[in-house]
Amino acid sequence: MPGDLDGNGSVDLSDAIIALKVLSGMKPAELVTPYAPSGSDVDGNLRVGIEEAAYILEDVAGLR
Ligand SMILES: [Ca+2]
Ligand SMILES: [Ca+2]
């Protein structure tokens, strides 16, 4: 599922937190990306980044 970075079957704020931690530098992408389920990558660049954060937040906000 696109955006489901923690693989719990839904896209929610916990996924947004993961993406935002990566973007803010609190967590290196190298520590997060290998554990993100295949298919969670939104833009296909094989990294957790701004695309995932935007997608997740739009999804949580009901904009998608
Ligand atoms: Ca999730
Ligand atoms: Ca990505």
Side-chain angles (χ1 to χ4, degrees):
M1 177 185 297
D4 184 21
L5 299 180
D6 60 6
N8 71 347
S10 67
V11 176
D12 52 32
L13 284 176
S14 64
D15 301 303
I17 289 168
I18 292 172
L20 291 174
K21 280 183 175 176
V22 171
L23 287 173
S24 68
M26 289 174 64
K27 267 184 191 286
E30 292 76 11
L31 285 184
V32 172
T33 301
Y35 300 101
S38 64
S40 66
D41 192 22
V42 171
D43 60 341
N45 69 352
L46 303 180
R47 282 181 75 89
V48 173
I50 185 70
E51 303 84 5
E52 283 71 32
Y55 181 97
I56 294 163
L57 289 171
E58 287 179 3
D59 196 276
V60 169
L63 301 176
R64 188 172 297 280

Short mmCIF file of all heavy atoms in Angstrom, two decimals:
data_model
loop_
_atom_site.label_atom_id
_atom_site.label_comp_id
_atom_site.label_asym_id
_atom_site.label_seq_id
_atom_site.Cartn_x
_atom_site.Cartn_y
_atom_site.Cartn_z
N MET A 1 0.85 -1.20 0.00
CA MET A 1 0.00 0.00 0.00
C MET A 1 0.89 1.25 0.00
O MET A 1 1.73 1.40 0.89
CB MET A 1 -0.89 -0.01 1.25
CG MET A 1 -1.77 1.21 1.42
SD MET A 1 -2.67 1.18 2.98
CE MET A 1 -3.66 -0.30 2.72
N PRO A 2 0.69 2.14 -0.96
CA PRO A 2 1.52 3.36 -0.99
C PRO A 2 1.38 4.17 0.30
O PRO A 2 0.27 4.41 0.78
CB PRO A 2 0.95 4.14 -2.19
CG PRO A 2 0.28 3.11 -3.04
CD PRO A 2 -0.23 2.06 -2.09
N GLY A 3 2.49 4.57 0.86
CA GLY A 3 2.49 5.40 2.06
C GLY A 3 2.46 4.65 3.37
O GLY A 3 2.66 5.26 4.42
N ASP A 4 2.22 3.35 3.32
CA ASP A 4 2.17 2.56 4.56
C ASP A 4 3.58 2.18 4.96
O ASP A 4 4.02 1.05 4.78
CB ASP A 4 1.30 1.33 4.36
CG ASP A 4 1.12 0.54 5.65
OD1 ASP A 4 1.32 1.12 6.73
OD2 ASP A 4 0.79 -0.65 5.56
N LEU A 5 4.29 3.14 5.53
CA LEU A 5 5.71 2.94 5.78
C LEU A 5 6.00 1.94 6.89
O LEU A 5 7.06 1.31 6.90
CB LEU A 5 6.36 4.28 6.13
CG LEU A 5 6.28 5.35 5.03
CD1 LEU A 5 6.96 6.62 5.49
CD2 LEU A 5 6.88 4.86 3.73
N ASP A 6 5.08 1.79 7.84
CA ASP A 6 5.32 0.83 8.92
C ASP A 6 4.64 -0.52 8.67
O ASP A 6 4.74 -1.42 9.49
CB ASP A 6 4.92 1.40 10.28
CG ASP A 6 3.44 1.77 10.35
OD1 ASP A 6 2.72 1.49 9.38
OD2 ASP A 6 3.04 2.34 11.37
N GLY A 7 3.94 -0.63 7.54
CA GLY A 7 3.40 -1.92 7.15
C GLY A 7 2.29 -2.44 8.03
O GLY A 7 2.08 -3.65 8.11
N ASN A 8 1.53 -1.56 8.67
CA ASN A 8 0.45 -2.03 9.54
C ASN A 8 -0.89 -2.13 8.81
O ASN A 8 -1.91 -2.37 9.43
CB ASN A 8 0.33 -1.16 10.80
CG ASN A 8 -0.23 0.22 10.52
OD1 ASN A 8 -0.32 0.62 9.36
ND2 ASN A 8 -0.60 0.93 11.57
N GLY A 9 -0.86 -1.88 7.49
CA GLY A 9 -2.06 -2.08 6.70
C GLY A 9 -2.92 -0.86 6.51
O GLY A 9 -3.93 -0.91 5.81
N SER A 10 -2.54 0.26 7.13
CA SER A 10 -3.29 1.49 6.91
C SER A 10 -2.32 2.66 6.83
O SER A 10 -1.20 2.60 7.32
CB SER A 10 -4.30 1.72 8.03
OG SER A 10 -3.64 1.97 9.25
N VAL A 11 -2.78 3.72 6.18
CA VAL A 11 -1.99 4.95 6.09
C VAL A 11 -2.52 5.91 7.14
O VAL A 11 -3.67 6.34 7.06
CB VAL A 11 -2.08 5.57 4.68
CG1 VAL A 11 -1.33 6.89 4.63
CG2 VAL A 11 -1.52 4.60 3.64
N ASP A 12 -1.70 6.20 8.13
CA ASP A 12 -2.17 7.06 9.21
C ASP A 12 -1.03 7.93 9.73
O ASP A 12 0.04 8.00 9.12
CB ASP A 12 -2.81 6.24 10.32
CG ASP A 12 -1.89 5.11 10.79
OD1 ASP A 12 -0.66 5.30 10.77
OD2 ASP A 12 -2.42 4.06 11.18
N LEU A 13 -1.26 8.56 10.86
CA LEU A 13 -0.28 9.52 11.35
C LEU A 13 1.04 8.87 11.74
O LEU A 13 2.08 9.53 11.69
CB LEU A 13 -0.86 10.29 12.55
CG LEU A 13 -1.89 11.37 12.18
CD1 LEU A 13 -2.46 12.00 13.43
CD2 LEU A 13 -1.26 12.44 11.30
N SER A 14 1.02 7.61 12.12
CA SER A 14 2.29 6.97 12.46
C SER A 14 3.20 6.90 11.23
O SER A 14 4.43 7.02 11.36
CB SER A 14 2.06 5.58 13.04
OG SER A 14 1.47 4.73 12.09
N ASP A 15 2.60 6.73 10.06
CA ASP A 15 3.40 6.74 8.84
C ASP A 15 3.92 8.15 8.55
O ASP A 15 5.06 8.33 8.11
CB ASP A 15 2.56 6.25 7.66
CG ASP A 15 2.03 4.85 7.91
OD1 ASP A 15 2.85 3.94 8.13
OD2 ASP A 15 0.81 4.67 7.86
N ALA A 16 3.08 9.15 8.79
CA ALA A 16 3.51 10.54 8.59
C ALA A 16 4.68 10.88 9.49
O ALA A 16 5.63 11.55 9.07
CB ALA A 16 2.34 11.48 8.84
N ILE A 17 4.63 10.39 10.74
CA ILE A 17 5.71 10.68 11.68
C ILE A 17 7.02 10.09 11.19
O ILE A 17 8.07 10.73 11.27
CB ILE A 17 5.34 10.14 13.08
CG1 ILE A 17 4.21 10.99 13.67
CG2 ILE A 17 6.55 10.13 14.00
CD1 ILE A 17 3.56 10.39 14.90
N ILE A 18 6.96 8.88 10.67
CA ILE A 18 8.17 8.25 10.14
C ILE A 18 8.76 9.11 9.02
O ILE A 18 9.95 9.41 9.00
CB ILE A 18 7.86 6.84 9.62
CG1 ILE A 18 7.51 5.92 10.79
CG2 ILE A 18 9.05 6.28 8.85
CD1 ILE A 18 6.99 4.55 10.37
N ALA A 19 7.90 9.52 8.09
CA ALA A 19 8.38 10.31 6.94
C ALA A 19 8.93 11.65 7.42
O ALA A 19 9.97 12.11 6.92
CB ALA A 19 7.24 10.52 5.94
N LEU A 20 8.27 12.27 8.36
CA LEU A 20 8.71 13.58 8.83
C LEU A 20 10.02 13.48 9.61
O LEU A 20 10.86 14.38 9.55
CB LEU A 20 7.63 14.24 9.69
CG LEU A 20 6.37 14.66 8.91
CD1 LEU A 20 5.30 15.15 9.86
CD2 LEU A 20 6.71 15.74 7.89
N LYS A 21 10.21 12.39 10.32
CA LYS A 21 11.48 12.20 11.02
C LYS A 21 12.63 12.08 10.03
O LYS A 21 13.72 12.60 10.26
CB LYS A 21 11.42 10.96 11.91
CG LYS A 21 10.70 11.21 13.23
CD LYS A 21 10.74 9.96 14.12
CE LYS A 21 10.14 10.28 15.48
NZ LYS A 21 10.07 9.07 16.33
N VAL A 22 12.38 11.40 8.93
CA VAL A 22 13.41 11.29 7.90
C VAL A 22 13.69 12.67 7.30
O VAL A 22 14.85 13.09 7.15
CB VAL A 22 12.98 10.31 6.80
CG1 VAL A 22 13.96 10.37 5.62
CG2 VAL A 22 12.92 8.90 7.36
N LEU A 23 12.62 13.39 6.97
CA LEU A 23 12.80 14.69 6.33
C LEU A 23 13.50 15.69 7.24
O LEU A 23 14.27 16.53 6.78
CB LEU A 23 11.43 15.26 5.93
CG LEU A 23 10.78 14.58 4.73
CD1 LEU A 23 9.39 15.11 4.53
CD2 LEU A 23 11.61 14.79 3.49
N SER A 24 13.23 15.59 8.54
CA SER A 24 13.81 16.55 9.48
C SER A 24 15.23 16.17 9.87
O SER A 24 15.91 16.94 10.55
CB SER A 24 12.95 16.63 10.73
OG SER A 24 13.02 15.41 11.45
N GLY A 25 15.66 14.98 9.46
CA GLY A 25 17.00 14.54 9.83
C GLY A 25 17.05 13.83 11.16
O GLY A 25 18.13 13.46 11.62
N MET A 26 15.89 13.65 11.80
CA MET A 26 15.88 12.94 13.08
C MET A 26 16.21 11.47 12.89
O MET A 26 16.74 10.82 13.79
CB MET A 26 14.50 13.05 13.75
CG MET A 26 14.21 14.44 14.29
SD MET A 26 12.51 14.57 14.92
CE MET A 26 12.55 13.43 16.28
N LYS A 27 15.86 10.92 11.74
CA LYS A 27 16.20 9.54 11.41
C LYS A 27 16.80 9.51 10.02
O LYS A 27 16.23 10.07 9.09
CB LYS A 27 14.95 8.66 11.41
CG LYS A 27 14.62 7.97 12.70
CD LYS A 27 13.42 7.06 12.48
CE LYS A 27 12.85 6.52 13.77
NZ LYS A 27 13.69 5.48 14.38
N PRO A 28 17.95 8.86 9.87
CA PRO A 28 18.51 8.72 8.52
C PRO A 28 17.61 7.84 7.65
O PRO A 28 17.07 6.84 8.14
CB PRO A 28 19.86 8.02 8.76
CG PRO A 28 20.13 8.16 10.22
CD PRO A 28 18.79 8.29 10.89
N ALA A 29 17.42 8.23 6.41
CA ALA A 29 16.59 7.43 5.50
C ALA A 29 17.10 6.01 5.41
O ALA A 29 16.32 5.08 5.22
CB ALA A 29 16.57 8.08 4.11
N GLU A 30 18.41 5.84 5.60
CA GLU A 30 18.99 4.50 5.49
C GLU A 30 18.47 3.58 6.60
O GLU A 30 18.50 2.36 6.46
CB GLU A 30 20.52 4.58 5.57
CG GLU A 30 21.17 5.25 4.37
CD GLU A 30 21.02 6.77 4.38
OE1 GLU A 30 20.59 7.33 5.43
OE2 GLU A 30 21.31 7.40 3.36
N LEU A 31 18.03 4.16 7.71
CA LEU A 31 17.52 3.35 8.80
C LEU A 31 16.03 3.04 8.64
O LEU A 31 15.52 2.13 9.28
CB LEU A 31 17.72 4.06 10.14
CG LEU A 31 19.13 4.08 10.71
CD1 LEU A 31 19.14 4.74 12.07
CD2 LEU A 31 19.69 2.67 10.80
N VAL A 32 15.35 3.81 7.82
CA VAL A 32 13.90 3.66 7.69
C VAL A 32 13.53 2.91 6.42
O VAL A 32 12.72 1.99 6.44
CB VAL A 32 13.22 5.04 7.69
CG1 VAL A 32 11.73 4.91 7.37
CG2 VAL A 32 13.42 5.72 9.04
N THR A 33 14.15 3.30 5.32
CA THR A 33 13.77 2.76 4.03
C THR A 33 13.84 1.23 3.96
O THR A 33 12.92 0.60 3.42
CB THR A 33 14.62 3.39 2.91
OG1 THR A 33 14.42 4.81 2.95
CG2 THR A 33 14.23 2.86 1.55
N PRO A 34 14.89 0.60 4.51
CA PRO A 34 14.95 -0.87 4.37
C PRO A 34 13.79 -1.59 5.06
O PRO A 34 13.48 -2.73 4.72
CB PRO A 34 16.27 -1.23 5.05
CG PRO A 34 17.09 0.01 4.98
CD PRO A 34 16.11 1.12 5.13
N TYR A 35 13.15 -0.93 6.03
CA TYR A 35 12.07 -1.58 6.77
C TYR A 35 10.69 -1.22 6.23
O TYR A 35 9.69 -1.80 6.65
CB TYR A 35 12.16 -1.20 8.25
CG TYR A 35 13.47 -1.62 8.87
CD1 TYR A 35 14.49 -0.71 9.07
CD2 TYR A 35 13.69 -2.96 9.19
CE1 TYR A 35 15.71 -1.10 9.59
CE2 TYR A 35 14.91 -3.36 9.72
CZ TYR A 35 15.91 -2.43 9.92
OH TYR A 35 17.11 -2.83 10.43
N ALA A 36 10.64 -0.25 5.34
CA ALA A 36 9.36 0.11 4.74
C ALA A 36 8.95 -1.00 3.78
O ALA A 36 9.78 -1.48 2.99
CB ALA A 36 9.48 1.44 4.00
N PRO A 37 7.71 -1.47 3.84
CA PRO A 37 7.27 -2.56 2.97
C PRO A 37 7.39 -2.19 1.50
O PRO A 37 7.22 -1.02 1.15
CB PRO A 37 5.81 -2.76 3.36
CG PRO A 37 5.62 -2.06 4.65
CD PRO A 37 6.63 -0.97 4.70
N SER A 38 7.70 -3.18 0.67
CA SER A 38 7.70 -2.90 -0.76
C SER A 38 6.30 -2.49 -1.17
O SER A 38 5.31 -3.04 -0.70
CB SER A 38 8.14 -4.13 -1.54
OG SER A 38 7.22 -5.18 -1.37
N GLY A 39 6.19 -1.49 -2.01
CA GLY A 39 4.88 -0.98 -2.39
C GLY A 39 4.50 0.27 -1.61
O GLY A 39 3.57 0.95 -1.97
N SER A 40 5.24 0.55 -0.53
CA SER A 40 4.93 1.76 0.23
C SER A 40 5.57 2.99 -0.39
O SER A 40 5.18 4.12 -0.08
CB SER A 40 5.39 1.62 1.69
OG SER A 40 6.80 1.53 1.76
N ASP A 41 6.54 2.77 -1.25
CA ASP A 41 7.22 3.88 -1.90
C ASP A 41 6.29 4.54 -2.92
O ASP A 41 5.82 3.89 -3.85
CB ASP A 41 8.49 3.36 -2.60
CG ASP A 41 9.39 4.48 -3.04
OD1 ASP A 41 9.30 5.59 -2.48
OD2 ASP A 41 10.20 4.24 -3.96
N VAL A 42 6.02 5.81 -2.72
CA VAL A 42 5.01 6.50 -3.53
C VAL A 42 5.53 6.82 -4.93
O VAL A 42 4.82 6.67 -5.92
CB VAL A 42 4.56 7.79 -2.81
CG1 VAL A 42 3.67 8.64 -3.72
CG2 VAL A 42 3.82 7.44 -1.53
N ASP A 43 6.75 7.28 -5.00
CA ASP A 43 7.27 7.78 -6.28
C ASP A 43 8.29 6.85 -6.92
O ASP A 43 8.84 7.18 -7.97
CB ASP A 43 7.88 9.17 -6.09
CG ASP A 43 9.03 9.14 -5.09
OD1 ASP A 43 9.11 8.18 -4.31
OD2 ASP A 43 9.84 10.09 -5.10
N GLY A 44 8.53 5.70 -6.30
CA GLY A 44 9.38 4.72 -6.94
C GLY A 44 10.87 5.02 -6.90
O GLY A 44 11.63 4.42 -7.65
N ASN A 45 11.29 5.95 -6.02
CA ASN A 45 12.73 6.22 -5.96
C ASN A 45 13.43 5.39 -4.89
O ASN A 45 14.61 5.60 -4.61
CB ASN A 45 13.00 7.72 -5.75
CG ASN A 45 12.59 8.21 -4.37
OD1 ASN A 45 11.97 7.48 -3.60
ND2 ASN A 45 12.93 9.45 -4.06
N LEU A 46 12.66 4.46 -4.27
CA LEU A 46 13.21 3.52 -3.30
C LEU A 46 13.76 4.20 -2.06
O LEU A 46 14.60 3.65 -1.36
CB LEU A 46 14.30 2.64 -3.95
CG LEU A 46 13.86 1.84 -5.18
CD1 LEU A 46 15.01 1.03 -5.72
CD2 LEU A 46 12.68 0.94 -4.83
N ARG A 47 13.28 5.40 -1.75
CA ARG A 47 13.67 6.08 -0.52
C ARG A 47 12.44 6.72 0.11
O ARG A 47 11.52 7.12 -0.58
CB ARG A 47 14.71 7.17 -0.80
CG ARG A 47 16.12 6.64 -1.01
CD ARG A 47 17.07 7.79 -1.26
NE ARG A 47 17.40 8.52 -0.05
CZ ARG A 47 18.41 8.22 0.76
NH1 ARG A 47 19.16 7.18 0.50
NH2 ARG A 47 18.67 8.95 1.81
N VAL A 48 12.49 6.81 1.43
CA VAL A 48 11.45 7.55 2.15
C VAL A 48 11.82 9.02 2.09
O VAL A 48 12.92 9.40 2.49
CB VAL A 48 11.34 7.07 3.61
CG1 VAL A 48 10.38 7.95 4.38
CG2 VAL A 48 10.89 5.62 3.66
N GLY A 49 10.90 9.85 1.59
CA GLY A 49 11.22 11.27 1.44
C GLY A 49 9.98 12.14 1.40
O GLY A 49 8.91 11.77 1.88
N ILE A 50 10.14 13.29 0.78
CA ILE A 50 9.08 14.29 0.76
C ILE A 50 7.84 13.78 0.03
O ILE A 50 6.71 14.13 0.39
CB ILE A 50 9.59 15.61 0.12
CG1 ILE A 50 8.54 16.71 0.21
CG2 ILE A 50 10.03 15.39 -1.32
CD1 ILE A 50 8.30 17.20 1.62
N GLU A 51 8.04 12.94 -0.97
CA GLU A 51 6.88 12.45 -1.72
C GLU A 51 5.98 11.61 -0.82
O GLU A 51 4.76 11.71 -0.88
CB GLU A 51 7.34 11.63 -2.93
CG GLU A 51 8.25 12.39 -3.88
CD GLU A 51 9.70 12.37 -3.43
OE1 GLU A 51 10.02 11.69 -2.43
OE2 GLU A 51 10.51 13.06 -4.07
N GLU A 52 6.62 10.77 0.00
CA GLU A 52 5.84 9.95 0.92
C GLU A 52 5.15 10.82 1.97
O GLU A 52 3.99 10.61 2.30
CB GLU A 52 6.75 8.91 1.60
CG GLU A 52 7.10 7.73 0.71
CD GLU A 52 8.05 8.06 -0.41
OE1 GLU A 52 8.90 8.95 -0.23
OE2 GLU A 52 7.93 7.45 -1.50
N ALA A 53 5.87 11.80 2.51
CA ALA A 53 5.29 12.67 3.53
C ALA A 53 4.05 13.38 2.98
O ALA A 53 3.00 13.44 3.63
CB ALA A 53 6.32 13.68 4.02
N ALA A 54 4.17 13.94 1.78
CA ALA A 54 3.05 14.68 1.19
C ALA A 54 1.88 13.74 0.93
O ALA A 54 0.72 14.07 1.22
CB ALA A 54 3.49 15.36 -0.11
N TYR A 55 2.18 12.57 0.40
CA TYR A 55 1.12 11.61 0.08
C TYR A 55 0.38 11.20 1.35
O TYR A 55 -0.85 11.17 1.39
CB TYR A 55 1.75 10.39 -0.60
CG TYR A 55 0.75 9.33 -1.00
CD1 TYR A 55 0.26 9.28 -2.30
CD2 TYR A 55 0.30 8.38 -0.08
CE1 TYR A 55 -0.66 8.31 -2.67
CE2 TYR A 55 -0.61 7.42 -0.45
CZ TYR A 55 -1.10 7.38 -1.74
OH TYR A 55 -2.01 6.43 -2.09
N ILE A 56 1.14 10.87 2.39
CA ILE A 56 0.53 10.40 3.64
C ILE A 56 -0.33 11.49 4.27
O ILE A 56 -1.46 11.24 4.69
CB ILE A 56 1.63 9.94 4.62
CG1 ILE A 56 2.34 8.70 4.07
CG2 ILE A 56 1.04 9.66 5.99
CD1 ILE A 56 3.67 8.42 4.72
N LEU A 57 0.20 12.71 4.32
CA LEU A 57 -0.55 13.80 4.95
C LEU A 57 -1.83 14.11 4.17
O LEU A 57 -2.87 14.38 4.75
CB LEU A 57 0.32 15.05 5.08
CG LEU A 57 1.43 14.91 6.15
CD1 LEU A 57 2.38 16.09 6.09
CD2 LEU A 57 0.82 14.78 7.53
N GLU A 58 -1.74 14.07 2.84
CA GLU A 58 -2.95 14.29 2.04
C GLU A 58 -3.96 13.17 2.29
O GLU A 58 -5.16 13.42 2.37
CB GLU A 58 -2.60 14.35 0.55
CG GLU A 58 -1.89 15.63 0.16
CD GLU A 58 -1.52 15.66 -1.30
OE1 GLU A 58 -1.85 14.71 -2.05
OE2 GLU A 58 -0.89 16.64 -1.72
N ASP A 59 -3.46 11.96 2.42
CA ASP A 59 -4.35 10.82 2.66
C ASP A 59 -5.02 10.94 4.02
O ASP A 59 -6.23 10.78 4.15
CB ASP A 59 -3.54 9.52 2.57
CG ASP A 59 -4.42 8.30 2.43
OD1 ASP A 59 -4.90 7.80 3.45
OD2 ASP A 59 -4.62 7.88 1.28
N VAL A 60 -4.22 11.25 5.04
CA VAL A 60 -4.77 11.38 6.40
C VAL A 60 -5.77 12.52 6.46
O VAL A 60 -6.78 12.44 7.18
CB VAL A 60 -3.62 11.59 7.41
CG1 VAL A 60 -4.16 11.99 8.78
CG2 VAL A 60 -2.78 10.33 7.52
N ALA A 61 -5.50 13.59 5.72
CA ALA A 61 -6.37 14.76 5.73
C ALA A 61 -7.64 14.55 4.89
O ALA A 61 -8.49 15.42 4.85
CB ALA A 61 -5.61 15.99 5.25
N GLY A 62 -7.71 13.41 4.20
CA GLY A 62 -8.87 13.13 3.37
C GLY A 62 -8.87 13.88 2.05
O GLY A 62 -9.93 14.06 1.44
N LEU A 63 -7.70 14.32 1.62
CA LEU A 63 -7.60 15.09 0.38
C LEU A 63 -7.37 14.19 -0.82
O LEU A 63 -7.27 14.67 -1.94
CB LEU A 63 -6.46 16.11 0.48
CG LEU A 63 -6.61 17.13 1.62
CD1 LEU A 63 -5.38 18.02 1.70
CD2 LEU A 63 -7.86 17.98 1.40
N ARG A 64 -7.25 12.91 -0.57
CA ARG A 64 -6.93 12.00 -1.67
C ARG A 64 -8.12 11.09 -1.94
O ARG A 64 -8.80 10.67 -1.06
CB ARG A 64 -5.70 11.17 -1.30
CG ARG A 64 -5.16 10.35 -2.41
CD ARG A 64 -3.84 9.74 -1.99
NE ARG A 64 -2.83 10.77 -1.73
CZ ARG A 64 -2.14 11.37 -2.71
NH1 ARG A 64 -2.32 11.01 -3.94
NH2 ARG A 64 -1.26 12.29 -2.43
CA CA B 1 0.87 2.44 8.47
CA CA B 2 10.04 7.63 -2.30
#
